[in-house]
């Protein structure tokens, strides 16, 4: 299979090359030239382990990896780093199912792909006889940064640099990043929001002078953001796995549709659901759930994408975003893979901050429903589900749960079971949990707050937070957006005497 850029169909690469490069140099994202159709013998798939399902799905997308190489990557990624051998448990909560994607080392769903990405990248380097050191450059709204560093820490032949918004992440998220070990890991806080970090990172990727300068030193950029296909396709796996669990339990018959409600930020998770559907997974509706940053909700209602609006800081920081990068891929498919139309929309977004998708293309998006949950509604939802089902959701998951609740009476939603994609452990956002359950935390220490969440959930701390409060702070860089390039050069030792 060949991957081509959304902005120019002549820019093509193999899967392994696309993983190494991350983004296309024309500013576009890589998409598969043909989306494979899987045969889906559900009697068989129902008994697959997570690893077997990963192989079943990924071999269709990463076609220049040998079967042995792919199996080795999968085995190395989905092992005891996860706190359950099931990897992605499906839990019944009320009338819905929650697909818990937070059992990995950093207790957020980013682990589902970032545990495998380093292995895919090393293998891709081998396949292409790539001798350069790979410099992973990543913007994070909190979860990607930690998960990517945990994955790449001390991986030979790589260096990783993470930028995060100083005021835009939770205290646990920040602490997780600042305590990251590994000689090759670098964390930089910026004065600005996630969009500022992400657009600057994209600019650095597409800076030809910088690219040359790196090449002169046997260095090459790649991305750990969900723009990288090595992030995207491992995320297709859990949609299949969740469906297979419902078949196994006898909840649905093979071929019956299910809905997924997905707490959405950069549109990577839900886009993986779209690709799962396109490969033949029976998905009815994909619910795109937003927080107070309703740019995607508004887009799905009106066809107009408009980032000219205030950036809201919320209790679901990993969804605080106004430019959802992966939406570009969906738009590309919606406009009939016409890269001219797509490019003109994206250029308009870049220059004017908005674009409008004509209604004849909007109809292509019929399997998506969009909703949002305000801050108040999110807190309320955590409380309501706790009282009904004795189950505590993190604030991101609560947004998806509330979005479903608002849409549940619609015919197309009501018709199918709904799976809520659960993207983070409540231990990652303990303050929000206590606020939702109206527990006064004004006199509680950080440790007491975690203890309290432990009592309420009846669960022990995950290993990820257990030592966090005592771990030494190892990073202290803080810069303006304008200095991000200099910071990269400084970290790579490239800014002295050229
Ligand atoms: C990243 C993240 C999201 C948003 O996922 P996208 O793929 O960016 O849409 C939602 N919840 C949590 C906890 C996350 O870390």
């Amino acid at each position: 299979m060949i991957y081509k850029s959304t902005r120019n169909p002549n820019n093509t690469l193999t899967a392994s090359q696309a993983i190494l490069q991350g983004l296309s140099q024309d500013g576009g994202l890589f998409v598969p030239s043909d989306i494979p159709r899987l045969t889906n013998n559900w009697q068989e798939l129902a008994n697959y382990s997570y690893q077997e399902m990963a192989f079943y799905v990924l071999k269709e997308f990463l076609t220049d990896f040998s079967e042995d190489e792919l199996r080795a990557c999968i085995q190395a990624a989905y092992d005891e780093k996860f706190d359950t051998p099931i990897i992605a448990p499906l839990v019944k909560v009320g009338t819905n199912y929650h697909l818990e994607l937070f059992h990995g080392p950093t207790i957020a769903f980013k682990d589902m792909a970032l545990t495998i990405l380093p292995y895919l990248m090393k293998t891709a380097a081998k396949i292409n006889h790539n001798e350069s050191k790979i410099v992973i450059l990543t913007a994070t709204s909190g979860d990607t940064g930690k998960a990517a560093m945990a994955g790449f820490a001390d991986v030979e032949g790589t260096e990783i640099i993470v930028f995060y918004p100083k005021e835009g992440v939770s205290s646990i998220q920040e602490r997780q990043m600042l305590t990251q070990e590994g000689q090759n890991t670098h964390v930089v806080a910026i004065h600005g929001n996630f969009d500022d970090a992400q657009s600057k990172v994209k600019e650095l990727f597409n800076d030809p002078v910088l690219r040359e300068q790196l090449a002169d030193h046997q260095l090459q950029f790649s991305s750990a953001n969900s723009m990288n296909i090595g992030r995207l396709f491992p995320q297709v796996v859990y949609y299949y796995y969740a469906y297979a669990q419902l078949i196994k339990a006898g909840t649905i018959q093979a071929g019956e549709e299910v809905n997924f409600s997905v707490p959405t930020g950069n549109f990577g998770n839900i886009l993986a659901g779209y690709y799962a559907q396109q490969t033949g997974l029976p998905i009815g509706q994909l619910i795109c759930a937003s927080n107070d940053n309703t740019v995607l909700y508004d887009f799905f209602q009106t066809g107009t994408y408009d980032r000219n609006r205030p950036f809201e800081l919320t209790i679901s920081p990993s969804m605080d975003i106004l430019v959802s990068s992966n939406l570009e891929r969906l738009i590309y498919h919606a406009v009939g893979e016409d890269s001219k139309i797509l490019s003109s929309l994206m250029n308009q977004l870049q220059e004017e901050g908005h674009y409008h998708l004509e209604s004849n293309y909007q109809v292509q998006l019929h399997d998506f429903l969009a909703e949002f949950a305000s801050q108040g509604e999110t807190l309320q939802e955590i409380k309501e589900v706790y009282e009904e089902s004795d189950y505590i959701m993190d604030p991101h998951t609560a947004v998806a749960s509330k979005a479903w609740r608002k849409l549940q009476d619609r015919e197309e939603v009501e018709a199918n079971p709904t799976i809520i994609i659960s993207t983070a452990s409540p231990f990652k956002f303990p303050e929000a949990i206590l606020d939702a359950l109206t527990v006064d935390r004004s006199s509680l220490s950080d440790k007491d707050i975690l203890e309290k969440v432990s009592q309420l959930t009846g669960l022990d701390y995950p290993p990820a937070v257990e030592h966090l409060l005592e771990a030494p702070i190892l990073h202290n860089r803080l810069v303006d957006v304008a200095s991000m390039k200099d910071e990269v050069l400084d970290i790579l030792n490239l800014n002295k005497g050229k």
Side-chain angles (χ1 to χ4, degrees):
M1 188 198 299
I2 289 298
Y3 286 83
K4 57 184 176 177
S5 166
T6 49
R7 309 263 177 116
N8 181 347
N10 299 321
N11 288 343
T12 59
L13 293 178
T14 62
S16 65
Q17 291 166 338
I19 288 172
L20 279 176
Q21 195 174 307
L23 314 185
S24 180
Q25 291 174 0
D26 55 27
L29 306 183
F30 290 110
V31 286
S33 52
D34 291 296
I35 298 176
R37 283 299 285 193
L38 309 197
T39 42
N40 298 342
N41 174 351
W42 287 109
Q43 293 325 312
E44 204 179 314
L45 298 189
N47 294 310
Y48 274 13
S49 66
Y50 193 86
Q51 293 83 347
E52 286 167 327
M53 193 65 87
F55 182 73
Y56 173 74
V57 171
L58 289 177
K59 72 177 174 2
E60 302 292 334
F61 287 102
L62 308 182
T63 48
D64 67 331
F65 286 64
S66 74
E67 296 206 344
D68 285 347
E69 285 167 341
L70 208 48
R71 283 190 203 280
C73 292
I74 290 166
Q75 293 311 328
Y78 304 114
D79 62 4
E80 292 76 34
K81 286 191 282 302
F82 287 77
D83 67 13
T84 160
I86 302 167
I87 308 294
L90 189 68
V91 181
K92 184 145 201 241
V93 179
T95 54
N96 290 332
Y97 297 84
H98 283 227
L99 181 62
E100 294 186 349
L101 302 180
F102 55 77
H103 290 269
T106 74
I107 60 177
F109 101 97
K110 303 298 192 292
D111 288 326
M112 302 307 293
L114 282 164
T115 47
I116 194 168
L117 184 67
Y119 298 102
L120 295 177
M121 217 170 258
K122 276 185 81 169
T123 308
K126 198 182 94 204
I127 293 170
N128 292 285
H129 309 289
N130 186 322
E131 305 283 319
S132 300
K133 187 179 218 185
I134 297 166
V135 181
I136 307 287
L137 205 58
T138 284
T140 183
S141 52
D143 289 331
T144 290
K146 176 63 185 183
M149 287 191 291
F152 280 97
D154 293 325
V155 171
E156 217 182 297
T158 68
E159 209 67 44
I160 173 160
I161 306 173
V162 167
F163 292 99
Y164 75 94
K166 177 72 187 148
E167 306 301 332
V169 300
S170 82
S171 59
I172 296 265
Q173 286 177 317
E174 181 170 47
R175 202 171 258 274
Q176 278 188 314
M177 288 190 279
L178 297 183
T179 55
Q180 177 65 46
E181 297 179 357
Q183 285 302 314
N184 65 337
T185 65
H186 311 276
V187 188
V188 185
I190 63 151
H191 295 296
N193 61 37
F194 172 71
D195 285 332
D196 299 326
Q198 175 161 261
S199 62
K200 192 66 176 185
V201 162
K202 276 193 196 164
E203 192 183 306
L204 298 180
F205 264 103
N206 296 325
D207 178 338
V209 179
L210 184 59
R211 195 181 303 139
E212 288 266 302
Q213 203 178 346
L214 261 72
D216 288 345
H217 293 82
Q218 294 264 67
L219 298 168
Q220 149 186 1
F221 281 143
S222 188
S223 165
N225 282 108
S226 53
M227 282 98 86
N228 193 316
I229 64 159
R231 273 279 303 271
L232 190 55
F233 295 117
Q235 294 177 178
V236 174
V237 175
Y238 51 74
Y239 285 89
Y240 269 85
Y241 189 66
Y243 188 88
Q245 297 320 296
L246 288 185
I247 296 268
K248 191 175 180 179
T251 310
I252 53 169
Q253 301 294 313
E256 278 178 20
E257 291 184 338
V258 301
N259 306 319
F260 286 90
S261 185
V262 189
T264 298
N266 220 359
F267 212 76
N269 195 346
I270 197 167
L271 186 76
Y274 170 78
Y275 280 122
Q277 185 197 44
Q278 295 300 302
T279 57
L281 186 69
I283 295 180
Q285 296 294 312
L286 285 161
I287 299 174
C288 174
S290 300
N291 63 21
D292 279 311
N293 293 288
T294 58
V295 67
L296 286 166
Y297 169 74
D298 296 341
F299 167 71
F300 281 105
Q301 304 306 312
T302 64
T304 297
Y305 193 97
D306 188 355
R307 70 164 161 81
N308 297 319
R309 60 177 76 206
F311 187 106
E312 305 289 346
L313 292 174
T314 74
I315 52 169
S316 43
S318 300
M319 298 159 68
D320 291 348
I321 180 168
L322 297 179
V323 182
S324 286
S325 293
N326 276 293
L327 186 65
E328 173 165 348
R329 287 181 164 119
L330 181 66
I331 303 292
Y332 175 74
H333 294 301
V335 299
E337 309 202 347
D338 185 325
S339 52
K340 288 218 174 60
I341 299 176
L342 187 272
S343 299
S344 96
L345 294 174
M346 293 303 126
N347 289 337
Q348 205 190 337
L349 179 62
Q350 175 78 26
E351 277 147 33
E352 297 161 33
H354 59 84
Y355 63 81
H356 181 75
L357 187 69
E358 295 297 331
S359 52
N360 55 320
Y361 299 129
Q362 280 179 46
V363 295
Q364 298 301 320
L365 309 177
H366 51 78
D367 293 331
F368 287 84
L369 279 174
E371 254 305 343
F372 73 97
S374 67
Q375 187 105 328
E377 287 173 327
T378 306
L379 291 168
Q380 187 59 40
E381 183 70 9
I382 293 173
K383 186 159 196 259
E384 191 164 333
V385 169
Y386 177 62
E387 285 169 356
E388 276 173 4
S389 309
D390 201 19
Y391 182 83
I392 296 189
M393 301 178 286
D394 99 286
H396 300 77
T397 309
V399 169
S401 179
K402 181 66 186 182
W404 163 80
R405 200 179 292 279
K406 285 180 163 180
L407 292 167
Q408 62 175 326
D409 293 331
R410 290 180 59 145
E411 209 178 314
E412 66 272 42
V413 175
E414 206 178 18
N416 308 318
T418 294
I419 297 174
I420 310 283
I421 301 264
S422 178
T423 50
S425 157
F427 286 98
K428 200 155 189 175
F429 303 93
E431 293 90 354
I433 304 301
L434 295 193
D435 293 348
L437 303 182
T438 56
V439 176
D440 178 14
R441 61 180 171 90
S442 53
S443 60
L444 299 182
S445 68
D446 289 353
K447 196 170 170 67
D448 292 340
I449 290 175
L450 286 169
E451 289 284 356
K452 196 84 202 164
V453 174
S454 185
Q455 274 171 23
L456 289 163
T457 54
L459 300 170
D460 291 337
Y461 302 170
V465 293
E466 207 177 294
H467 302 296
L468 203 57
L469 299 178
E470 292 93 49
I473 300 292
L474 301 174
H475 305 267
N476 65 353
R477 292 175 186 260
L478 172 63
V479 301
D480 289 327
V481 176
S483 308
M484 284 170 60
K485 181 173 175 177
D486 279 343
E487 204 64 14
V488 169
L489 293 173
D490 183 56
I491 288 167
L492 299 174
N493 279 320
L494 296 183
N495 59 356
K496 354 185 156 83
K498 314 226 162 113

